[in-house]
Amino acid sequence: MRIIIGVSGATGVIMSYYLLRALKEVEGCETHLVVSDSAKLSWELETDLPFQRLLDYADEFYDVHNLAAAISSGSYKTDGMIVMPCSMKTLAGIVSGYTDNLLIRAADVCIKENRKVVLCTREMPLSKIHLRNMAAAADLDCTIIPPMLTFYNNPQSLDDQINHVVGKVLMQFGIEHKSFVPWNGVN
């Protein structure tokens, strides 16, 4: 399995770290990481981890300005892409096809090749523009998974909340996340 991970400049970049760490444990899963310039800034503002820690979990890392990278072509086979978090700017670029960087180009390629694209849109509150763009992305067969709080799994920490979102995202690719607590119903 080969999955592209895009990290854009919305708040919550630490979620991408959890995602890559979970994917590193999946046997036979190859990750290709592209990080926007804004995401690098968000990383510095929101975490105490060195940026290299994120890169250490990726199998390949691409400069966001390298539009000649392997993941910019449909002939480079992947199973799809996850953008976590997905800023409203990145969402707008994806739905309009304005591929001015590798992150958006990789999503564009996955859409045109009918590969899975999961967007973890991150903004609050949502404007009509944001909602319209999310609906447009869904019309393009992207899956929208905003990182929403969940309480049915009795979370005890921020880690639990992030792992729940990561688990929901990985389910889209048929991958089970060991730290995900599913709903088991009421007896």
Side-chain angles (χ1 to χ4, degrees):
M1 179 171 278
R2 184 182 285 163
I3 301 175
I4 302 166
I5 307 300
V7 184
S8 69
T11 189
V13 292
I14 193 67
M15 294 182 300
S16 61
Y17 175 76
Y18 282 69
L19 175 65
L20 282 164
R21 194 172 61 187
L23 286 170
K24 195 70 167 174
E25 295 178 7
V26 177
E27 187 176 331
C29 185
E30 184 180 305
T31 56
H32 294 255
L33 177 65
V34 59
V35 180
S36 74
D37 292 333
S38 297
K40 290 177 186 174
L41 177 60
S42 293
W43 184 271
E44 291 173 17
L45 295 171
E46 294 182 356
T47 75
D48 294 328
L49 296 172
F51 184 67
Q52 185 61 44
R53 289 280 296 273
L54 178 67
L55 305 184
D56 289 343
Y57 282 107
D59 294 301
E60 298 289 335
F61 174 66
Y62 303 93
D63 184 292
V64 73
H65 304 287
N66 181 5
L67 289 169
I71 60 173
S72 71
S73 174
S75 65
Y76 189 76
K77 178 117 175 58
T78 69
D79 293 284
M81 182 171 185
I82 301 164
V83 183
M84 180 185 257
C86 181
S87 69
M88 293 299 109
K89 178 182 177 182
T90 297
L91 173 66
I94 290 169
V95 300
S96 68
Y98 186 68
T99 60
D100 69 339
N101 68 45
L102 182 59
L103 194 159
I104 298 171
R105 172 62 185 166
D108 187 61
V109 165
C110 287
I111 291 168
K112 80 179 183 72
E113 299 292 336
N114 295 312
R115 297 174 186 154
K116 183 165 285 299
V117 176
V118 176
L119 305 175
C120 297
T121 53
R122 181 65 193 89
E123 187 60 81
M124 185 173 50
L126 296 167
S127 74
K128 289 181 180 181
I129 295 168
H130 304 146
L131 294 168
R132 183 181 65 221
N133 286 341
M134 281 190 266
D139 286 343
L140 295 170
D141 294 326
C142 297
T143 301
I144 311 297
I145 302 182
M148 294 184 170
L149 298 175
T150 307
F151 297 96
Y152 66 77
N153 55 353
N154 195 26
Q156 300 299 304
S157 66
L158 181 58
D159 286 350
D160 292 344
Q161 291 285 353
I162 294 171
N163 280 316
H164 186 79
V165 173
V166 168
K168 295 289 276 187
V169 167
L170 293 180
M171 286 172 63
Q172 295 297 308
F173 291 86
I175 299 171
E176 290 187 29
H177 180 32
K178 69 178 183 182
S179 297
F180 176 77
V181 179
W183 173 251
N184 290 315
V186 177
N187 294 327

